[in-house]
Amino acid sequence: MGWDTLIRVFDPKYYSDYPRELDEFFANGGRIAYSRRVGFPDADVDAFFARHEMATYLQYIFELKLPKRVKHISSSDVRVAVRDSTQSVRDIPPRILEFVNNFQLYRKDRL
């Protein structure tokens, strides 16, 4: 998931019983892999993870380092390019595009 989604995972407003529901997710084997695109300063990331309430969850969160050639591509960009069949589809790495196409993700008829 992207950095902005990771932040939402830990936002109490998305839960009816926070942090119990989040604790249950991790207790049942849940893990989070995230990546940061360009534009998310290290200081902001460090501050987020330094919050007291995050200490319990750090062992379940893993950062995936993106290669420079794809670090500028957001999941929103991929969704729009695939849904609208735009030229920017060619910017999507082939393996990602293959996965999206195999599962027919983001197609207009699936939204």
Side-chain angles (χ1 to χ4, degrees):
M1 70 180 58
W3 178 251
D4 50 346
T5 303
L6 175 72
I7 292 170
R8 286 193 302 272
V9 167
F10 292 94
D11 188 335
K13 76 178 182 183
Y14 294 106
Y15 299 89
S16 58
D17 190 2
Y18 180 89
R20 187 195 61 74
E21 292 167 316
L22 193 56
D23 293 342
E24 188 176 312
F25 168 75
F26 290 116
N28 287 319
R31 301 295 180 267
I32 294 175
Y34 75 95
S35 59
R36 286 190 289 157
R37 290 179 295 111
V38 175
F40 294 101
D42 289 341
D44 292 352
V45 174
D46 293 344
F48 177 79
F49 286 124
R51 294 177 8 205
H52 174 73
E53 65 270 19
M54 292 302 297
T56 304
Y57 305 112
L58 294 178
Q59 64 185 323
Y60 306 116
I61 304 169
F62 307 93
E63 182 175 4
L64 303 174
K65 302 286 186 180
L66 295 175
K68 286 183 182 180
R69 65 182 176 80
V70 298
K71 207 165 189 168
H72 69 283
I73 302 172
S74 72
S75 58
S76 296
D77 294 338
V78 172
R79 282 192 296 275
V80 169
V82 171
R83 185 193 68 212
D84 297 344
S85 298
T86 64
Q87 286 290 327
S88 57
V89 169
R90 66 178 174 216
D91 293 336
I92 302 169
R95 291 180 70 195
I96 300 296
L97 189 56
E98 179 182 352
F99 179 86
V100 168
N101 287 332
N102 284 345
F103 289 94
Q104 299 180 349
L105 303 176
Y106 313 136
R107 298 290 177 194
K108 285 181 182 178
D109 58 345
R110 293 186 48 109
L111 297 176

